[in-house]
Amino acid sequence: MEAPPPPPPHGSATPALPKHTDLSSEQLSFLHQHFQTPKDLPHKAPLLLSELDRNCFDLDRDLIALQTILAKSCVSWISHSFEAKSDARRLNHDLQNLSLLTSQHGIGSKRFHRVLAKELPQLTQKVLRIEAIRSYVETTLKLEALVGDLEDAVLCFMNCQTSIMFSAKLSKSSLSNIFGMQEFGTKHEKLLQAIKAMNDIEDKLVDLVLLQPHWHHLLKSVDARVEKNLTILRPQVSADHRSLLISLGWPPKLSLSKVEGGHISDLPNPLVIMEGEKRKTYSNSFISLCALQHFQIRREKRQSNRLEQEKCNIRLWAIDELVSPIASRMEHHFSKWVDQPEFMFALAYKITIDFIEGIDEVLQPLIDRARLVSCSAKEAWVSAMVQILSRFLETRLFSSLADQYNDKHMKVEVIPSWLHLIDLLLTFNKQIQSLVSLEICHFLTESDRFQGLSRGISLLTMFCDRPEWLKIWAKIEMKNAYKKLKAELQDHKSWNVDSKLQAGFLPDTERGHYILSTREDHKAPFIAESALKIAWEMIDRCQTMPAVLPRIQFIRSTAVRFLWYFLKVLLLRYKGTEIDSENLNDDALGRRCILINAARYIEFRLQQWSDSVDFLEMKVAENDCKNPRNVGNIDHNCFFEEEIKSLCEIETNWLMDIIAVILRQFETLSWDYVKQAKHLQQEVSVASNLAVSVDFVDALDALKSHLHALEMTLNPKDFLDLWRSLAEGLDHFIFFSNIFAEIQFYANRVNQFETDIQALFSVFKSYCVRPEAFFPNIRKGLKLLKVNKERGK
């Protein structure tokens, strides 16, 4: 153990050395590194002391520089917080005393670690909080300034309105006119300033929604103040625009005498003939109203969390202002034509088409300047005119007809009026949609056209909003369809096929033609085409219905129900056509084949309809409505799935009935030949020319006659299945009969039996090259008979 150092001289100011146990491990390691023996102390101590003093000086200088930088940074960041200033002062004090880290007790080291581990993170959090408060205050101040600008602009706008009203009461001198023009220019300028301020506010609010969505109270406060100013601004802007339209001579007068005479003269368009200052004033007013609507669209999208770009709504405020004065005049004329609705549609269409070109030419450039993307003046005009007619039809005509239909005594009288009104409505729909389809519908998908464009341009929208009227319409359409079908059924020729096909004429080029597409290919009767035509007419009448689910409901209630009714008609007619194996004739088979052809043709057409895009979309929507969890299911996307399945079952059952009857007749006619096998006991000369057995001839003749009749009347696809099934049944019947068991004992009759079987094969020779391929059991049996015969020799 090393000797303790000598005691200091008496009177020296050198402090006493610490005890060995008070030194830390780092301090002991430092001393052992520099002083290995007591002899090193006098030589190395001065050098080490000077080096330590130099290092401490450098560290003190760095600490002072760090203190200065930190003090400047803290002052710039925490000027708004007294608590943060206290923490900075405390940290500054700790840095000043950082030299205590090398003190004899090592207390400063723990203090420094506590500052780094706890106090600095806390300070960082407080600085971030101060920054958030600063950002909130800055945003609030900016929004307050923008809202203040908006309120000032709105106030000046309303003051200008008061001044214009005051100047209007003055005498019409040149001075007053100049004063009025100046006031109008100032008013328009203040309006543009207000709109710009609202758009600037909206830009800030959109940024807030994206970056600071938790600032709810600020958003609500600003929205409330903007809404208050918008409530003041929009009615006044609309009123000014209406006043301007009146000064331009809008709307033009209507000539009733020519309307009631069935002819409507062209109406002048004041928008086209206005020039100079009037055109400029109207353009500014129109753009201002569109700009105000553009702001409202942005605001509604932001409030409903729909910040992405979407197609503009069909309705335009500026177009509504054009339509509003016309609407009152049109409704006045409509009220005189309640009993003659065709005049209503004629007037609405004439006004629409007379102004549409001028509106598109004059207003569309103004809409584009107002940045209303994807908005069409032509489309908005047509939609507004349709809404006028739709409101009148809904309130004055259809509501009255619906009430009368619910009255049992009036129901019969209502049906013709309702159907006539629907016919006029659908014709008007096609005319109106053709006006905008060329430039709009080509860029839309079918579903977009129905759900987007047609929502404002289709008069059938009223049935989407009134499901009880939709049910009444469906019932009336069904009654009308029953009436049409009944008239067709009364004509006996409706069950006929083409005269050539019915006469048995079938060109050789058409034999084996199994790709069926037309009614003639299916050999279906005229009544099948008529039934499909009636069903499709009902489907086509609701094609312009904008909503998918009401359209599905209407089709299910009309066309689908009608097809089920016609299916019952086929079933009843089939039951009325009896066939018996004992008295089976080709006419009865032909009548049943015509019914099978009708079912097959209807099945084919329903599958075609189901494969179209419209019905696929409707089926997907129907599946999603019934089972929202199973969205996009493609397993059951056939709209007429149940109907097609039922038709397939009926066709199969009817074919099996015919096959069973023919097989029973064949069994009866060939009973003596197949079951009794008495012909085997007859002696046959080997040299004689073998002919078909007498007991087998009648069965083959009957089979051949029925197959020929079926080929002439049955469609190729079902006939192919029928003769193959017949061959399979005959193969099973003959092979498992007594003849194969008995013929083994009459080897001399094998050749005769083979001749009879070849005659059976020849019956099917007209339908395939190798008919024996469809009689596997008989071929196998013949081979065994020949083998046994050879062995017997």
Side-chain angles (χ1 to χ4, degrees):
M1 186 174 181
E2 298 180 358
H10 183 71
S12 176
T14 302
L17 294 175
K19 295 180 180 181
H20 184 272
T21 56
D22 294 337
L23 295 177
S24 63
S25 59
E26 291 83 0
Q27 291 172 339
L28 290 174
S29 176
F30 178 80
L31 293 175
H32 287 313
Q33 182 180 0
H34 292 86
F35 304 104
Q36 297 180 356
T37 62
K39 295 179 181 181
D40 295 335
L41 183 61
H43 302 289
K44 295 183 178 181
L47 298 175
L48 181 61
L49 178 61
S50 61
E51 182 180 356
L52 291 174
D53 289 339
R54 186 170 58 255
N55 292 338
C56 289
F57 177 78
D58 293 337
L59 291 173
D60 289 338
R61 185 181 58 190
D62 294 339
L63 289 173
I64 292 172
L66 179 62
Q67 175 185 350
T68 303
I69 295 172
L70 183 61
K72 291 180 180 179
S73 301
C74 290
V75 169
S76 63
W77 282 95
I78 62 175
S79 59
H80 300 288
S81 173
F82 176 79
E83 183 179 357
K85 289 180 180 179
S86 300
D87 293 336
R89 291 193 187 100
R90 186 164 59 252
L91 180 61
N92 191 21
H93 177 72
D94 293 338
L95 292 174
Q96 290 176 354
N97 297 329
L98 196 58
S99 61
L100 295 177
L101 290 171
T102 58
S103 67
Q104 54 184 348
H105 302 291
I107 301 174
S109 177
K110 297 180 181 179
R111 173 64 176 168
F112 183 72
H113 284 297
R114 188 175 68 84
V115 170
L116 292 178
K118 294 183 179 180
E119 295 184 3
L120 275 180
Q122 292 176 358
L123 178 62
T124 303
Q125 293 178 0
K126 292 177 180 178
V127 170
L128 292 175
R129 182 170 178 271
I130 292 170
E131 174 62 19
I133 294 173
R134 183 190 64 79
S135 177
Y136 185 87
V137 171
E138 288 181 357
T139 303
T140 303
L141 291 176
K142 290 180 181 178
L143 287 173
E144 179 64 32
L146 291 174
V147 173
D149 293 342
L150 170 62
E151 292 175 344
D152 292 342
V154 172
L155 181 62
C156 293
F157 175 80
M158 298 306 295
N159 289 337
C160 290
Q161 175 65 23
T162 305
S163 300
I164 291 175
M165 293 176 61
F166 177 76
S167 62
K169 296 180 180 179
L170 298 176
S171 61
K172 296 184 180 180
S173 61
S174 60
L175 181 62
S176 64
N177 290 334
I178 294 174
F179 176 75
M181 292 298 296
Q182 292 176 348
E183 287 295 330
F184 184 82
T186 304
K187 181 179 179 181
H188 180 68
E189 181 181 353
K190 294 301 179 182
L191 176 59
L192 294 180
Q193 291 178 3
I195 295 174
K196 183 180 183 302
M198 287 190 292
N199 280 301
D200 293 341
I201 293 171
E202 189 62 27
D203 292 338
K204 291 291 183 181
L205 295 183
V206 169
D207 293 338
L208 284 183
V209 171
L210 295 176
L211 302 177
Q212 304 290 348
H214 54 282
W215 291 358
H216 303 293
H217 296 292
L218 179 60
L219 287 170
K220 291 181 179 179
S221 176
V222 175
D223 265 338
R225 295 178 65 180
V226 172
E227 179 66 28
K228 181 179 179 181
N229 287 276
L230 187 61
T231 304
I232 298 173
L233 198 62
R234 182 186 170 183
Q236 187 59 51
V237 174
S238 299
D240 293 344
H241 193 75
R242 285 193 293 270
S243 300
L244 183 59
L245 287 174
I246 293 174
S247 66
L248 295 174
W250 185 271
K253 296 181 179 180
L254 303 178
S255 178
L256 279 183
S257 59
K258 295 184 178 180
V259 171
E260 294 176 350
H263 173 74
I264 307 177
S265 58
D266 293 340
L267 302 174
N269 191 345
L271 300 180
V272 177
I273 61 178
M274 63 180 180
E275 296 178 352
E277 194 66 30
K278 289 185 178 180
R279 177 179 285 270
K280 180 180 179 181
T281 303
Y282 177 77
S283 299
N284 291 335
S285 179
F286 186 92
I287 292 175
S288 300
L289 195 55
C290 289
L292 200 61
Q293 184 176 8
H294 176 256
F295 162 74
Q296 182 66 16
I297 292 173
R298 292 185 60 202
R299 187 165 178 263
E300 290 175 354
K301 287 182 180 179
R302 190 253 309 163
Q303 291 176 343
S304 58
N305 296 324
R306 293 182 293 110
L307 298 179
E308 69 277 1
Q309 183 67 32
E310 294 182 356
K311 186 179 184 297
C312 178
N313 194 347
I314 292 178
R315 293 193 60 182
L316 291 175
W317 295 350
I319 300 296
D320 289 344
E321 296 299 335
L322 286 173
V323 173
S324 180
I326 293 181
S328 58
R329 298 187 180 185
M330 290 177 64
E331 290 176 356
H332 173 72
H333 301 324
F334 289 165
S335 61
K336 301 178 180 180
W337 299 328
V338 175
D339 297 331
Q340 295 174 307
E342 55 273 10
F343 291 152
M344 303 180 194
F345 292 95
L347 178 61
Y349 180 73
K350 188 60 179 178
I351 294 177
T352 303
I353 197 172
D354 280 349
F355 294 118
I356 191 169
E357 292 185 2
I359 285 176
D360 185 52
E361 178 183 352
V362 176
L363 302 185
Q364 188 60 50
L366 302 179
I367 292 175
D368 297 337
R369 285 173 57 187
R371 298 189 301 169
L372 286 177
V373 182
S374 300
C375 286
S376 169
K378 180 183 291 187
E379 183 181 341
W381 168 257
V382 172
S383 175
M385 296 302 297
V386 168
Q387 292 302 317
I388 296 174
L389 182 58
S390 178
R391 283 195 301 269
F392 186 85
L393 293 176
E394 185 175 352
T395 56
R396 295 292 300 274
L397 294 183
F398 278 105
S399 59
S400 176
L401 290 176
D403 293 339
Q404 295 177 17
Y405 184 83
N406 293 326
D407 187 357
K408 295 181 180 180
H409 303 288
M410 300 289 294
K411 183 176 296 187
V412 178
E413 300 177 0
V414 169
I415 293 178
S417 300
W418 187 291
L419 291 175
H420 177 61
L421 193 58
I422 291 292
D423 291 337
L424 294 173
L425 185 148
L426 296 176
T427 303
F428 181 81
N429 261 356
K430 293 180 180 179
Q431 292 175 339
I432 287 296
Q433 291 189 3
S434 65
L435 296 178
V436 293
S437 61
L438 293 179
E439 65 180 64
I440 295 176
C441 292
H442 288 309
F443 301 98
L444 299 175
T445 62
E446 195 70 19
S447 59
D448 291 337
R449 188 181 306 129
F450 281 147
Q451 299 182 13
L453 176 64
S454 296
R455 184 69 192 178
I457 297 182
S458 176
L459 289 172
L460 295 181
T461 303
M462 68 179 76
F463 294 101
C464 300
D465 302 330
R466 298 289 189 96
E468 65 276 9
W469 291 3
L470 186 65
K471 292 180 181 179
I472 294 175
W473 182 23
K475 292 179 181 179
I476 292 176
E477 290 289 347
M478 277 297 295
K479 291 181 178 180
N480 188 48
Y482 291 153
K483 184 178 179 180
K484 292 180 180 179
L485 182 63
K486 184 178 180 181
E488 293 287 342
L489 292 174
Q490 289 177 353
D491 185 6
H492 296 289
K493 295 182 181 179
S494 60
W495 290 101
N496 295 340
V497 194
D498 288 350
S499 57
K500 294 182 180 180
L501 296 175
Q502 194 171 9
F505 176 78
L506 186 65
D508 294 336
T509 55
E510 294 188 5
R511 293 183 183 272
H513 175 67
Y514 302 114
I515 301 176
L516 313 180
S517 58
T518 63
R519 183 190 63 83
E520 290 77 8
D521 293 338
H522 287 84
K523 301 180 183 179
F526 295 108
I527 191 65
E529 190 72 65
S530 300
L532 288 170
K533 182 180 178 182
I534 295 172
W536 181 254
E537 286 177 353
M538 290 187 286
I539 294 173
D540 188 60
R541 288 167 78 82
C542 70
Q543 286 298 311
T544 55
M545 189 176 293
V548 177
L549 293 180
R551 198 180 337 142
I552 294 172
Q553 180 184 352
F554 181 82
I555 294 174
R556 295 289 186 197
S557 302
T558 55
V560 174
R561 281 187 59 192
F562 175 78
L563 291 172
W564 281 109
Y565 175 78
F566 185 71
L567 185 57
K568 292 180 181 179
V569 172
L570 294 179
L571 287 170
L572 292 174
R573 190 172 180 85
Y574 181 84
K575 292 179 180 179
T577 306
E578 297 182 357
I579 56 176
D580 187 8
S581 59
E582 297 180 358
N583 187 20
L584 183 60
N585 57 75
D586 295 339
D587 291 338
L589 288 177
R591 288 194 296 271
R592 287 206 168 184
C593 288
I594 288 176
L595 297 177
I596 295 174
N597 296 341
R600 173 67 68 181
Y601 180 58
I602 293 174
E603 175 201 345
F604 170 77
R605 292 294 299 275
L606 292 183
Q607 188 63 57
Q608 274 191 331
W609 294 353
S610 298
D611 292 339
S612 64
V613 176
D614 295 342
F615 282 100
L616 287 174
E617 291 179 349
M618 285 191 287
K619 185 59 180 179
V620 171
E622 188 178 37
N623 291 339
D624 295 345
C625 181
K626 291 181 179 178
N627 188 9
R629 297 181 180 179
N630 194 17
V631 178
N633 182 23
I634 60 175
D635 295 334
H636 302 282
N637 279 346
C638 182
F639 190 84
F640 298 99
E641 182 179 6
E642 295 182 5
E643 293 74 22
I644 293 175
K645 182 179 178 181
S646 297
L647 286 168
C648 289
E649 292 178 356
I650 288 175
E651 294 161 18
T652 303
N653 293 335
W654 290 353
L655 280 176
M656 293 306 298
D657 288 346
I658 294 176
I659 292 170
V661 171
I662 294 176
L663 289 177
R664 283 199 300 269
Q665 187 189 49
F666 186 87
E667 179 183 6
T668 301
L669 296 176
S670 63
W671 179 261
D672 293 337
Y673 177 82
V674 177
K675 296 294 184 179
Q676 301 298 332
K678 294 181 179 180
H679 60 91
L680 298 178
Q681 301 175 5
Q682 300 176 0
E683 293 293 336
V684 178
S685 175
V686 178
S688 62
N689 188 14
L690 296 178
V692 181
S693 301
V694 177
D695 296 338
F696 202 48
V697 171
D698 292 340
L700 293 178
D701 288 342
L703 178 63
K704 184 176 182 180
S705 174
H706 296 327
L707 284 175
H708 179 72
L710 290 171
E711 183 186 15
M712 293 297 103
T713 54
L714 193 60
N715 67 84
K717 185 178 184 302
D718 285 327
F719 179 73
L720 177 66
D721 296 336
L722 182 138
W723 73 255
R724 287 182 175 182
S725 299
L726 275 176
E728 181 181 359
L730 293 173
D731 179 61
H732 185 275
F733 167 69
I734 295 175
F735 181 75
F736 290 99
S737 62
N738 294 338
I739 191 168
F740 270 99
E742 294 291 338
I743 202 171
Q744 298 178 6
F745 303 102
Y746 302 93
N748 60 338
R749 300 292 296 180
V750 173
N751 293 335
Q752 179 63 49
F753 179 71
E754 185 177 1
T755 301
D756 296 338
I757 294 302
Q758 289 299 328
L760 175 63
F761 292 165
S762 65
V763 173
F764 294 90
K765 193 74 173 179
S766 303
Y767 317 120
C768 63
V769 178
R770 294 181 63 252
E772 60 272 11
F774 297 94
F775 295 86
N777 293 320
I778 293 179
R779 286 191 298 113
K780 180 180 178 182
L782 284 175
K783 288 182 180 181
L784 291 175
L785 290 176
K786 290 181 180 180
V787 170
N788 292 334
K789 180 180 179 180
E790 292 296 330
R791 289 178 180 178
K793 291 182 179 180

